[in-house]
Amino acid sequence: MLKSIHSGVLAGCILGAMTMSASEVPTIVKSAAGGQLIVNGKPFLILGGELGNSSAGTAAQADSVLPRIAQMHVNTVLMPVAWEQIEPVEGKFDFSIQDHWIDVAREQHLHLMFLWFGSWKNGFSNYVPSWLKQDTKRFPRAVSADGYELEILSTLGTETLKCDAQAFSVLMRHLREKDRDQQTVLMVQVENEVGYLGRGRDRSAAANRLFASPVPPELIHKLQNARNSFSPELRAHFKSTGTTWPEVFGDAADEVFMAWNYARFIQTVAEGGKQAYPLPMYVNCQLPAPAERAGEYPSGGPHPYYLEVYRVTAPALDFYSPDIYWPNFEYWIDRYKFSGNAVFVPEARLESAPYNAFYAYGEAGAFGFSPFGIESLQLSPNANGSGPGINDVYAALSSMSDMLLSAQASGSTRGLVLHSNSPRTAQTVALGDYLFEATLSRSWPTKTLLTEDGAMIVVQTNPNEFYIAGSGLSVSFFRDPDTDNKLCGIANIEEVSRSGGEWLTVRRLNGDQTNQGRQLSMSPHEVHIYRVVLYATGRTPRIE
Ligand code: DGJ
């Protein structure tokens, strides 16, 4: 049923798209190492920032917001596009706000990403036009367990789907006309943090009827075939021999049912949008907090537990993204580092972004990272307390971006984050033939902590040469015993910077700055790039 709506509504957009080859537009290329965004034929690293929800609602805001963000070494701004604003009257579209943002972004040499705040934004439906909000008959609401209509559109409203898909495809067609030559807009997020908020699932009459019917055999079959990529949670619940939702998915039935319904809806919206203009498209996820039940966090959202349901239902989506606000950043980003996904973090806490960014790009192989509320970052000296700001991290990463992108593709990067409350005081990563052991920076000789947080990214450029960017860490180097037992040490360390493509030596670090040749001692509060050359040589046999 959903398919036929889509093909009827969007036929007009298909014709235009057929004249354009997909290789001309930005695209996601996946490999065993992860995925990269290709723009104008070359890998592109997104140094992103997402705007607050009320920061892109007028054209004039572009003039004040974008020039400031352009000073932060951000290269891509994620901005909401509200359905209520582009289609205030049914069938009448107005893209003047988006057009102005694109024009200003071009002047500021910034890229944009559009966030389609359509039927759902954080589970709720407050960005839909008021003509739609008021007509609950034509656009049915989800119903709570105690029988109340919610301010959440049901995924089963055929008119809702038709209108959302129509508006999105008109947006994409407009974008194609405005932007296909310059490609200021790189990608599009479809809806925002979908999922049902309430007990488990929508209890509208239509949803109850569907839930009382057998699980579609096609869904069971597709999941069977995808068994090898199941999450532990889906593996624990899925019983292919069952018929009803509870038989097949046990106590995850409500949630999987919602995931399937959101995924079907989004597939139709995204597929229609891509026929108009095939930019990469993805969905973002509000992640569960510890001990939360489905419905306390958006039930059926694209979180890692039942993501396979999306993957088999919504092939128009290019990748899946976590919005990571919880403290265990590493755990959540790693759950999106699965075969067939390209890692991108569209939202993260601005305060911890200067550290987590290094982990995202260096360890999780992310092609992009984007703290939320980027326009609120203060650029005045020390405005971010004693630590670095994301602007400092992006300055370093943008000068390393060519070597970082090729190292990501060959799996030659690592990254780590340490906090004063981390469970371990030291962390080690292996790269090439060496181990890199990091601890937080301490004073000498009292050994008091100089910072609460530290992080680094390590990029291998030659067998013995590494570029390390970060702050707040002391790093010791060891030969990886799995390689050999050669004697290893620091050949030299330079603090470097880049100007017009050339690397310049700012300082040669030695003596106290290398703990007498034994460690890289990073600045506790400032981000720098260090070129570290190590040596390994045969050991003199021990004299017995
Ligand atoms: C996640 C949402 O996706 C954002 O739009 C915003 O509401 C943040 N949460 C929190 O402010």
Side-chain angles (χ1 to χ4, degrees):
M1 179 176 60
L2 299 182
K3 275 226 171 316
S4 66
I5 292 165
H6 148 251
S7 46
V9 170
L10 305 173
C13 303
I14 296 172
L15 205 60
M18 286 195 314
T19 56
M20 187 169 57
S21 103
S23 63
E24 290 174 4
V25 296
T27 184
I28 300 288
V29 173
K30 292 177 190 159
S31 67
Q36 293 196 308
L37 171 66
I38 308 295
V39 181
N40 290 321
K42 288 197 288 214
F44 184 85
L45 193 71
I46 291 189
L47 305 172
E50 180 163 327
L51 298 178
N53 295 160
S54 307
S55 296
T58 69
Q61 280 171 302
D63 302 315
S64 56
V65 165
L66 288 180
R68 246 176 50 72
I69 295 180
Q71 294 168 26
M72 299 174 184
H73 303 277
V74 166
N75 62 20
T76 306
V77 175
L78 283 66
M79 60 171 284
V81 174
W83 184 2
E84 60 172 345
Q85 287 189 285
I86 67 160
E87 194 184 4
V89 175
E90 188 173 2
K92 299 230 175 324
F93 290 90
D94 176 359
F95 297 109
S96 51
I97 296 176
Q98 289 70 34
D99 286 353
H100 186 68
W101 276 77
I102 291 173
D103 293 340
V104 180
R106 287 178 185 163
E107 280 161 27
Q108 297 298 326
H109 307 290
L110 286 167
H111 283 285
L112 296 174
M113 283 172 53
F114 280 0
L115 314 174
W116 173 234
F117 285 10
S119 292
W120 300 283
K121 191 273 176 195
N122 292 43
F124 292 99
S125 300
N126 57 321
Y127 278 84
V128 300
S130 63
W131 51 264
L132 190 148
K133 269 184 199 160
Q134 290 168 42
D135 192 345
T136 56
K137 238 185 142 106
R138 188 172 161 212
F139 304 107
R141 306 285 183 89
V143 172
S144 67
D146 42 10
Y148 290 104
E149 285 184 329
L150 302 166
E151 289 215 283
I152 299 174
L153 288 165
S154 170
T155 52
L156 297 169
T158 49
E159 281 289 297
T160 310
L161 175 59
K162 182 176 141 189
C163 291
D164 189 325
Q166 163 92 27
F168 186 67
S169 88
V170 174
L171 168 69
M172 294 307 293
R173 190 174 54 200
H174 177 80
L175 193 53
R176 173 177 177 267
E177 279 155 18
K178 166 97 183 155
D179 196 45
R180 66 171 283 194
D181 292 335
Q182 296 209 41
Q183 300 178 359
T184 299
V185 180
L186 298 178
M187 308 197 289
V188 181
Q189 179 184 292
V190 187
E191 313 291 345
N192 189 79
E193 292 193 348
V194 297
Y196 171 79
L197 290 165
R199 291 215 180 98
R201 69 171 172 86
D202 177 8
R203 317 264 163 175
S204 62
N208 287 343
R209 264 196 311 276
L210 195 57
F211 190 76
S213 313
V215 178
E218 196 197 350
L219 176 62
I220 298 181
H221 182 68
K222 283 182 178 168
L223 287 175
Q224 274 272 58
N225 289 341
R227 258 184 181 280
N228 288 344
S229 33
F230 273 13
S231 67
E233 293 84 2
L234 185 55
R235 191 175 299 283
H237 284 94
F238 181 64
K239 285 205 178 44
S240 61
T241 48
T243 303
T244 66
W245 287 89
E247 280 168 4
V248 180
F249 297 107
D251 61 11
D254 285 350
E255 191 172 4
V256 175
F257 176 75
M258 290 314 299
W260 176 64
N261 280 299
Y262 281 109
R264 289 196 305 162
F265 190 110
I266 288 169
Q267 165 63 15
T268 301
V269 175
E271 190 183 31
K274 280 195 158 177
Q275 283 170 343
Y277 185 33
L279 287 185
M281 293 186 187
Y282 71 100
V283 284
N284 63 330
C285 176
Q286 179 182 327
L287 298 165
E292 262 186 345
R293 288 170 58 81
E296 291 169 339
Y297 64 86
S299 174
H303 60 67
Y305 305 165
Y306 307 115
L307 196 53
E308 208 51 48
V309 176
Y310 276 80
R311 295 182 77 197
V312 301
T313 309
L317 296 175
D318 295 271
F319 59 93
Y320 296 90
S321 282
D323 293 343
I324 313 181
Y325 291 88
W326 306 130
N328 48 349
F329 181 90
E330 294 101 306
Y331 169 78
W332 284 115
I333 194 170
D334 285 352
R335 288 218 55 173
Y336 282 78
K337 203 179 152 194
F338 52 79
S339 167
N341 202 31
V343 179
F344 175 73
V345 181
E347 295 183 40
R349 288 189 87 84
L350 191 56
E351 302 75 32
S352 38
Y355 309 101
N356 291 334
F358 285 119
Y359 189 90
Y361 295 108
E363 193 68 12
F367 72 85
F369 173 81
S370 163
F372 182 78
I374 190 72
E375 74 282 16
S376 62
L377 185 71
Q378 300 302 317
L379 283 177
S380 53
N382 292 327
N384 302 303
S386 55
I390 188 69
N391 50 313
D392 302 311
V393 175
Y394 281 174
L397 292 177
S398 85
S399 60
M400 298 167 69
S401 64
D402 53 351
M403 63 170 71
L404 174 54
L405 282 162
S406 47
Q408 277 185 333
S410 61
S412 310
T413 65
R414 298 301 306 260
L416 63 79
V417 184
L418 270 177
H419 304 290
S420 54
N421 61 359
S422 292
R424 294 176 57 84
T425 51
Q427 260 194 56
T428 303
V429 290
L431 185 56
D433 296 331
Y434 296 95
L435 302 179
F436 302 72
E437 185 191 89
T439 56
L440 287 175
S441 304
R442 288 178 183 271
S443 66
W444 188 87
T446 57
K447 294 203 182 319
T448 45
L449 274 183
L450 293 172
T451 175
E452 299 289 308
D453 314 279
M456 68 173 179
I457 186 168
V458 188
V459 174
Q460 184 173 26
T461 42
N462 272 307
N464 292 329
E465 184 189 69
F466 302 86
Y467 282 72
I468 302 182
S471 70
L473 298 178
S474 294
V475 188
S476 306
F477 307 93
F478 304 94
R479 190 71 172 169
D480 188 336
D482 288 337
T483 300
D484 55 38
N485 70 347
K486 283 183 175 170
L487 188 67
C488 140
I490 295 170
N492 56 70
I493 299 182
E494 291 169 335
E495 186 189 312
V496 292
S497 71
R498 206 169 193 185
S499 161
E502 290 290 304
W503 283 103
L504 307 173
T505 302
V506 180
R507 290 197 302 164
R508 192 169 171 95
L509 301 189
N510 233 318
D512 293 345
Q513 282 67 50
T514 59
N515 195 7
Q516 317 315 324
R518 291 177 293 173
Q519 284 178 323
L520 161 64
S521 304
M522 293 179 169
S523 161
H525 304 306
E526 288 168 12
V527 175
H528 292 298
I529 306 173
Y530 306 91
R531 178 168 50 217
V532 177
V533 180
L534 303 174
Y535 71 84
T537 185
R539 286 180 193 272
T540 314
R542 210 165 46 168
I543 301 166
E544 295 296 335

